[in-house]
Amino acid sequence: MDSSNDEALDIIITNVVATFRTRCHLNLRTIALEGTNVIYKPEVGKVLMKLRKPTITASIWSSGKIICTGATSEDEAKLGARRLARCLQKLGFKVRFSAFKVVNVLAVCSMPFAIHLIDFTKNNRPIASYEPELHPAATYRIKNLKATIQVFSTGSLTVTGPNVQNVATAVEQVYPLLFEVRKPICK
Amino acid sequence: MSTKVCRTCGGFDIDVDQARGSAVCTGCGSVLEDNIIVSEVQFVEGSGGVSSAVGQFISADGPLKGPLLGSGFHTTVGKESRAQTLQSGKRQIQQLGSQLQMNQHCLDTAFNFFRMVVSKHLTRGRKMEHVIAACLYLVCRTEGTPHMLLDLSDLLQVNVYILGKTFLLLARELCINAPAIDPCLYIPRFAHMLDFGRQTHEVTMTALRLVQRMKRDWMHTGRRPSGLCGAALLVAARMHKFRRTVKEVVSVVKVCQNTLRKRLTEFEDTPTSQLTIDEFMRVDLEQECDPPSFTAAQHKAKMQQLEQELTKKLDEVEGEICCYKDEIETELEKSRPKLRGIYAAYAKEIDPEDAEVLSSTSEPEELEIEDAQLQAATQHLTQDFLCQMIHEEEGRDKTTLEDEQESGLEGQQSGPQRHAAPLAVILGNCPSSASLDGPRIFQTLNKSEISEKPHGEALESEELDLDGIDDQEIDKYILNDKEVQVKTALWLKQNAEYLQEQKEKEERIQKEKEQGTYKEKKKYKKREPIKASTAGEAIEKMLEKKKISSKINYDVLRDLNSRGTGSGGCNSPGRAFADPPEPNAPGKRLRRRRSKANEATQDLAVNTATMSKRFRRLISSTSSTSIQKKKKKPTSEGKKSIGMTTESTRAAPEATPVPDPDISSTPAKLAVVEDVEEEEELDVEEECVSALQLVGDYGCEAEEEDTF
C-alpha cells in the first residue's frame, strides 16, 4: 500500500484521545477521596484518574464530561473509558455511557530515507510550512482529512488526525511527495 | 419616473439642469423640481485665492461601526477609527523598524501588509505589537534582510514562538509565501558584529563557503540557521588566525554553547573537515553526507540491536545465577539471628513474597505480572523505604546487608514490625502512589490483555456495557473505608489553604448579603436568536422581548411596518443600485449622511442627545457577538436605511423646525427600534424614493455639502 516500496511502513499509534459523558453530575471530592490513583485539582476543577490496565489517564469534570488519553488504539480507548465508567458507577454515581467519541489520534511513522525539507516545502506551498527558527519539522496540513503531518529531515513523521483511518490515509497521501524529495542514503 | 411627464402640459420634454439642480419643462416652462440632488464637485476659494474642492476623502473600507450621530466631535471619532488604527500602526512600524535599521522601502511595505491585515480583521484578538512585529518580519523574509525573529522578540521582550505563531498565521492569511531562510544571509551581519577589522570580507567569504558545504552535507535541515552560522564563523575566524572564543560567538549569534559545540562536532564528522585550509578553499568534495540526526538514529538502532542480543544471552545465564542466589539466601537465613515472638510470624509471611519480588526484578523483561503480586511487592518496598527513614531517625542498627535486595528487605522487616500499627495507618494511602510506581519500577511491557473484544460500535443505549470489565479489578480502584479516612485527612491537610480561601470567600459573600451590598456577578445569558419568517415578524418579536416605552402606539407601528415593506419594495431598485452585495455598506453610508444632516439641523443639542443614545444602542447591537443578530442586520438595516434617507433628505432640504422636533422626539422615545421609528415619516418616503432613484447616493452627499 505504500507506493513503490516493497516493505510496509510501520505506522505506530502512540496516543488516542477520546471523550465521553456520564450524563450525571459527579462529585469530584468523593471521587478524589475514595478512588485510588487519583489526583484532585480543585483550582482547575477536575480530577485526574489513572487506570493501569489499558494505561489511560482520564480527566473528569464535575459536569460529567470525561477525556481519556494515553490509549494505544481506538478499541483500547473505548475499553478504558468503559472501565472508568464502571469504576465511577461503583463509587455510587448513576453513570451512563454516552457520546463516546475518539477525538484525536497521534501516530509516528518512519521513512527509510532522509527528506529535503526545503524542497518539500517549496513544492507544496501553501499546504506545507517550514520555519526552522521555530520548529525543526515541516508541517503539512491536509484539510479534507483534517490531519496534520510533521515531517522531520531524518524521515520520521508525526501524524495527528481524528481517527486511525484518516491517519493511515494521510500517510499514504504524503508518501509520494516525500519520495520525490528524498535524499539517497550514501554509505 | 414621474418627472418625465410634465404636470401642467403633459409634455415629455424635460430639461434637467444638473448644475442648478432643477428640472424644467421645455414646453410650458414650469419648474417641476427644485433642488435636485446633484453630484457635482464644488469648489471653494480658500485664503490666498487658492481654490480647493469641497469634500472629504472617504476610504472604501470606511468605518464599519456607524459613526453615529451627535456633534461633529462624535462623528470624527467614529469615522476615523480605522484611520486611527492605521496611523498608530504606522507609527509603531516606524519605531520598530528604525530600531532594526530597516530602510524606508521595507517600512512602507510593512505598512502595506499591515493595512491588508487590518482590512481582513486579523488584528482583532491579537496584541498590536505582535501583529506589527509579524508584518515587519514578513517584510524581512520577502526582502531577504538579515533580521531574525529572535531580534524582534528581543526588542519586544516577547516569546519568539508567540511571534512565530502570529507570523505564520499572517503569512497564511495573506497568502504570502515567504522564501525559506538561508543561513548565508546572516553571515555578513554576524561577521560584522564579530569585528574582524579589515579582513571581515575574507572571513565572510570563508564562512560562506563553509555554510554551503554544510548545506550539502545536510547539516542545515531542521536546524536554526543561526547555529550553523555561528559554527561556520568560528571555524572561519580560526582559519584566518583570529581568536574568537565560543562565548563571543554565542553572544552574537544567540544560540546556546552546547548547540555550537554540537554543530562543530557534526562538522568534524564530515570528510570536509579533514581537508587543510588551502585544500578547502580550492577543492569541493563530491561526496555528500547523511544528515547527522539520521546517522545518529541509525547508530541508536544499531545499539538497540546489540543490546537485545546481549539481553538474550543474559537470559540464558540468568537461570544459572538464580540457583546460586537461592542457595545464598538459604545460607544467609541460617546465619541470621531469628526473630522471636510475634515478629516471627511476620518474617515468615514476607519470605515467599520476597522471593517472588526478587525473581521478578531479575527478569526485567517479564511480560505480565499479576496485580496482586505487584501491589504486595510495592507495598513492601515502600514499607522498607519508610522504615529506612525511621531507622535513620532513631539511629537503629541495620542487620548486615550482604546482598542488598534480599537482606535489605528481610532485615528491615524487623524494624517495621515494632511500628506496625502506626505505619499501617500512614501507609494506608501509600498503595496509591506505590501502585502507580509499580509498573515503572518493574518495566513491564504492557501487552494489552484485551482478549475481551468490545462489541462493535452499536452501543446505541447509554447503558454501560459491562462486557469485558473485570469487576474485581475495578474494585481495587476503590479504597475501603479506613483508607478513605486516611486519605481524607491527608487531602484536607494538603489543600488547607485552598479550603481556607473558599471559606473566607463564603463568609465575605454572606456578610455582604446581610449588609445588602452584595453585588451579584452579572451572568450574561446567551440571547436566544429570534426566529421569524419575515422582517415584520422579527420586529414584532423583538419588540415583545425588549421593553420599550409605553408611549408608543404599537398598532400604528405595525401598520407602518406593513407600509414600510411596501415602500421598501419600490425603493429597492434605488437601493439595489446603491450597493447590492454588502448590506452593511448602504447602512454605513446612509448613517454618515444622516449624521451630516444632523449637523445641519438647528436643534443640535436635542439631536446630540438622541443620536448619542442611538449611537450607544447601535454600538451595543453591532458589538453583540451572536451571529444571528448580524444576519438579521440586513433586514433591519433595510428599514434603517430607508429611515436614514428620510431623515437626511428631510432635514437637509426642508430644515424646518417643525418636522425636526418630530424626528428628534420620536428617536428619543424609540431609542432601540430605529428601523421602525423612521417609518413614521410616511409622506416623506415618497420624496425620498424619488430622490434616491433620480440620482443615487452621491447626490445626497453633495447636497448636504450645500447646507453646510
Side-chain angles (χ1 to χ4, degrees):
Chain A
M1 261 252 101
D2 298 310
S3 315
S4 44
N5 241 14
D6 288 318
E7 329 120 25
L9 271 177
D10 275 332
I11 306 179
I12 304 164
I13 302 177
T14 51
N15 189 22
V16 175
V17 179
T19 61
F20 71 97
R21 299 163 114 183
T22 59
R23 291 267 179 229
C24 80
H25 193 267
L26 300 171
N27 186 345
L28 295 184
R29 208 181 266 212
T30 325
I31 303 176
L33 296 176
E34 293 183 18
T36 53
N37 318 332
V38 157
I39 306 170
Y40 183 22
K41 296 198 174 172
E43 316 86 41
V44 189
K46 68 178 182 188
V47 161
L48 285 174
M49 186 160 185
K50 299 196 195 216
L51 260 64
R52 235 179 292 133
K53 266 275 185 67
T55 315
I56 278 183
T57 308
S59 302
I60 306 171
W61 272 269
S62 58
S63 60
K65 293 199 184 165
I66 301 182
I67 300 184
C68 295
T69 60
T72 52
S73 78
E74 290 185 358
D75 295 335
E76 207 181 279
K78 184 142 199 195
L79 183 72
R82 283 193 291 129
R83 288 231 173 133
L84 192 65
R86 178 77 184 127
C87 185
L88 292 175
Q89 216 173 45
K90 286 210 160 174
L91 280 172
F93 301 105
K94 290 198 190 125
V95 296
R96 295 197 288 164
F97 192 72
S98 82
F100 176 83
K101 182 173 184 225
V102 168
V103 172
N104 189 25
V105 172
L106 173 77
V108 285
C109 180
S110 188
M111 303 278 143
F113 45 77
I115 300 168
H116 198 211
L117 290 180
I118 297 184
D119 286 347
F120 175 69
T121 328
K122 266 196 226 162
N123 295 348
N124 298 302
R125 286 220 190 102
I127 314 175
S129 91
Y130 172 48
E131 271 309 304
E133 281 193 37
L134 295 174
H135 191 57
T139 323
Y140 187 86
R141 285 177 214 269
I142 305 179
K143 227 175 177 181
N144 52 353
L145 290 175
K146 287 192 230 166
T148 307
I149 307 179
Q150 293 199 333
V151 183
F152 289 86
S153 60
T154 56
S156 349
L157 259 64
T158 314
V159 195
T160 54
N163 57 49
V164 179
Q165 192 53 44
N166 275 25
V167 162
T169 322
V171 174
E172 283 166 29
Q173 252 191 26
V174 90
Y175 183 86
L177 302 168
L178 295 175
F179 195 73
E180 283 173 10
V181 287
R182 76 185 181 290
K183 195 206 166 288
I185 300 170
C186 44
K187 282 288 173 190
Chain B
M1 287 203 275
S2 55
T3 47
K4 280 238 159 93
V5 185
C6 175
R7 266 176 259 135
T8 28
C9 68
F12 289 98
D13 206 359
I14 297 173
D15 172 40
V16 178
D17 188 354
Q18 295 286 351
R20 277 210 224 103
S22 54
V24 181
C25 169
T26 44
C28 60
S30 54
V31 175
L32 297 166
E33 259 182 68
D34 213 348
N35 294 3
I36 301 174
I37 297 167
V38 293
S39 60
E40 284 253 321
V41 185
Q42 299 254 323
F43 288 95
V44 151
E45 192 171 321
S47 58
V50 179
S51 33
S52 51
V54 174
Q56 292 180 344
F57 284 112
I58 296 182
S59 68
D61 35 48
L64 294 171
K65 296 193 274 186
L68 319 207
L69 5 178
S71 63
F73 173 70
H74 279 295
T75 47
T76 45
V77 164
K79 243 188 288 178
E80 294 184 18
S81 158
R82 175 61 62 85
Q84 274 193 335
T85 318
L86 290 175
Q87 232 178 20
S88 89
K90 183 156 199 164
R91 207 181 344 114
Q92 289 190 25
I93 289 177
Q94 293 282 351
Q95 215 178 10
L96 213 48
S98 60
Q99 280 179 304
L100 289 169
Q101 280 126 28
M102 290 168 68
N103 57 27
Q104 193 54 40
H105 167 70
C106 291
L107 296 178
D108 290 336
T109 323
F111 182 61
N112 275 332
F113 285 149
F114 181 69
R115 214 183 296 145
M116 279 198 269
V117 165
V118 170
S119 67
K120 287 200 173 189
H121 312 307
L122 295 170
T123 47
R124 293 211 185 139
R126 288 194 181 85
K127 288 210 174 144
M128 190 70 144
E129 40 179 41
H130 295 346
V131 177
I132 302 274
C135 289
L136 275 169
Y137 188 60
L138 210 48
V139 172
C140 288
R141 283 290 282 273
T142 47
E143 299 286 323
T145 60
H147 290 105
M148 297 192 289
L149 202 55
L150 270 174
D151 302 330
L152 279 168
S153 84
D154 262 346
L155 281 174
L156 291 175
Q157 298 292 308
V158 171
N159 188 355
V160 71
Y161 294 107
I162 296 179
L163 282 185
K165 214 176 169 187
T166 320
F167 162 70
L168 281 173
L169 191 104
L170 289 189
R172 211 182 327 142
E173 292 298 317
L174 297 176
C175 303
I176 295 172
N177 290 326
I181 304 175
D182 196 0
C184 304
L185 286 173
Y186 296 131
I187 300 261
R189 176 176 155 207
F190 291 141
H192 191 70
M193 293 215 266
L194 279 172
D195 198 26
F196 289 119
R198 291 223 193 94
Q199 293 199 303
T200 311
H201 184 71
E202 281 119 33
V203 179
T204 314
M205 284 294 122
T206 323
L208 275 171
R209 260 185 88 88
L210 278 165
V211 168
Q212 278 162 5
R213 184 65 231 172
M214 284 181 189
K215 274 204 225 170
R216 248 174 289 148
D217 284 334
W218 284 74
M219 271 174 67
H220 79 301
T221 3
R223 271 86 189 278
R224 286 239 179 109
S226 38
L228 282 178
C229 295
L233 273 169
L234 193 60
V235 176
R238 294 273 166 82
M239 280 163 83
H240 287 268
K241 300 192 179 73
F242 282 100
R243 274 186 40 252
R244 295 284 178 269
T245 60
V246 174
K247 268 193 190 165
E248 288 175 18
V249 177
V250 157
S251 64
V252 162
V253 159
K254 293 184 199 147
V255 285
C256 181
Q257 274 195 23
N258 272 336
T259 317
L260 210 52
R261 267 193 216 112
K262 243 189 180 176
R263 299 285 169 268
L264 289 171
T265 4
E266 285 168 8
F267 188 59
E268 207 183 333
D269 288 336
T270 66
T272 316
S273 60
Q274 305 301 323
L275 301 171
T276 67
I277 298 177
D278 291 326
E279 283 177 9
F280 174 71
M281 298 307 282
R282 277 182 282 122
V283 178
D284 242 342
L285 285 178
E286 285 297 317
Q287 189 192 23
E288 293 183 0
C289 293
D290 289 329
S293 34
F294 188 76
T295 40
Q298 285 194 327
H299 189 66
K300 234 194 214 174
K302 265 193 209 161
M303 295 296 287
Q304 272 188 349
Q305 254 193 328
L306 280 172
E307 253 180 66
Q308 277 184 358
E309 285 173 24
L310 265 174
T311 45
K312 270 190 210 155
K313 283 195 191 152
L314 268 174
D315 281 341
E316 294 162 25
V317 189
E318 279 300 308
E320 294 181 32
I321 297 180
C322 264
C323 319
Y324 294 141
K325 258 195 186 163
D326 292 335
E327 285 181 33
I328 297 172
E329 273 177 48
T330 44
E331 284 298 319
L332 276 175
E333 266 192 45
K334 290 178 199 163
S335 55
R336 194 166 292 118
K338 294 274 183 200
L339 299 165
R340 285 177 198 82
I342 39 169
Y343 302 121
Y346 284 98
K348 276 190 207 149
E349 213 181 59
I350 288 153
D351 286 338
E353 295 186 16
D354 271 349
E356 283 172 344
V357 167
L358 290 171
S359 58
S360 58
T361 47
S362 64
E363 293 167 13
E365 291 191 354
E366 208 179 41
L367 287 179
E368 274 145 281
I369 295 180
E370 293 283 344
D371 277 355
Q373 266 189 12
L374 242 185
Q375 263 201 333
T378 50
Q379 259 192 10
H380 287 298
L381 279 179
T382 46
Q383 273 185 355
D384 306 334
F385 185 66
L386 282 170
C387 299
Q388 255 188 337
M389 307 293 283
I390 296 168
H391 269 255
E392 286 164 27
E393 280 182 15
E394 301 187 9
R396 288 256 172 100
D397 298 334
K398 291 188 197 155
T399 50
T400 51
L401 298 167
E402 287 168 12
D403 199 334
E404 281 186 31
Q405 293 243 321
E406 306 145 23
S407 50
L409 276 169
E410 292 176 50
Q412 282 159 9
Q413 292 312 331
S414 53
Q417 273 59 22
R418 279 156 240 223
H419 305 274
L423 265 180
V425 172
I426 301 172
L427 289 174
N429 66 320
C430 269
S432 51
S433 52
S435 38
L436 270 180
D437 288 338
R440 263 179 258 150
I441 296 174
F442 293 100
Q443 292 174 19
T444 49
L445 295 173
N446 250 342
K447 267 200 195 152
S448 47
E449 296 175 320
I450 304 163
S451 48
E452 325 99 350
K453 274 304 134 210
H455 304 268
E457 297 309 312
L459 251 177
E460 292 306 329
S461 76
E462 291 179 354
E463 287 309 311
L464 190 56
D465 184 8
L466 293 176
D467 270 353
I469 294 179
D470 188 8
D471 271 358
Q472 277 184 345
E473 192 206 326
I474 303 279
D475 278 333
K476 282 182 212 135
Y477 285 122
I478 304 177
L479 304 167
N480 61 29
D481 288 329
K482 217 181 183 186
E483 292 167 334
V484 172
Q485 282 174 14
V486 173
K487 192 164 184 191
T488 318
L490 263 177
W491 187 88
L492 285 172
K493 236 199 227 172
Q494 208 176 24
N495 292 327
E497 305 142 17
Y498 177 76
L499 291 169
Q500 186 69 17
E501 278 175 38
Q502 295 295 80
K503 258 192 228 162
E504 283 170 17
K505 199 176 172 187
E506 287 289 326
E507 285 169 21
R508 215 183 338 124
I509 294 175
Q510 278 294 342
K511 263 193 221 163
E512 285 182 4
K513 274 196 179 147
E514 285 164 30
Q515 285 178 7
T517 59
Y518 182 55
K519 230 170 72 169
E520 285 268 358
K521 268 201 185 155
K522 277 194 191 163
K523 286 198 180 160
Y524 291 100
K525 264 199 302 184
K526 222 183 177 182
R527 276 212 212 151
E528 273 176 41
I530 303 173
K531 294 190 187 113
S533 46
T534 66
E537 239 185 272
I539 295 170
E540 276 188 33
K541 287 199 180 169
M542 186 172 63
L543 282 178
E544 287 168 39
K545 275 199 176 176
K546 291 199 181 171
K547 292 168 195 148
I548 307 173
S549 91
S550 54
K551 297 176 187 162
I552 302 171
N553 187 350
Y554 285 99
D555 298 324
V556 177
L557 273 184
R558 265 183 230 114
D559 286 341
L560 278 178
N561 197 14
S562 54
R563 262 204 93 175
T565 45
S567 57
C570 72
N571 192 30
S572 55
R575 278 209 318 112
F577 156 74
D579 203 334
E582 270 175 16
N584 265 331
K588 256 190 280 166
R589 264 189 244 129
L590 296 163
R591 266 184 239 130
R592 250 181 284 124
R593 243 178 287 139
R594 177 180 24 121
S595 59
K596 280 194 207 157
N598 281 314
E599 287 162 37
T601 55
Q602 284 126 7
D603 220 55
L604 274 174
V606 179
N607 276 329
T608 29
T610 59
M611 294 320 176
S612 53
K613 267 192 225 157
R614 253 199 266 160
F615 180 97
R616 253 176 266 131
R617 290 288 176 171
L618 254 182
I619 295 277
S620 62
S621 62
T622 47
S623 59
S624 75
T625 50
S626 80
I627 306 167
Q628 282 87 351
K629 262 227 149 198
K630 283 215 172 119
K631 280 191 191 149
K632 202 130 322 90
K633 276 264 155 212
T635 52
S636 57
E637 270 185 323
K639 305 283 172 196
K640 238 183 264 170
S641 49
I642 305 169
M644 304 311 142
T645 47
T646 344
E647 244 194 326
S648 56
T649 46
R650 214 161 198 312
E654 253 98 341
T656 48
V658 175
D660 283 338
D662 241 335
I663 303 168
S664 41
S665 57
T666 43
K669 289 177 197 162
L670 310 174
V672 182
V673 194
E674 290 107 350
D675 41 7
V676 189
E677 13 177 37
E678 305 330 332
E679 278 148 50
E680 291 196 286
E681 273 76 49
L682 296 171
D683 47 338
V684 191
E685 279 191 344
E686 272 121 69
E687 262 188 51
C688 152
V689 168
S690 61
L692 256 188
Q693 281 176 337
L694 266 181
V695 196
D697 295 344
Y698 303 99
C700 278
E701 284 180 28
E703 206 194 17
E704 279 151 26
E705 303 312 315
D706 275 348
T707 59
F708 245 87

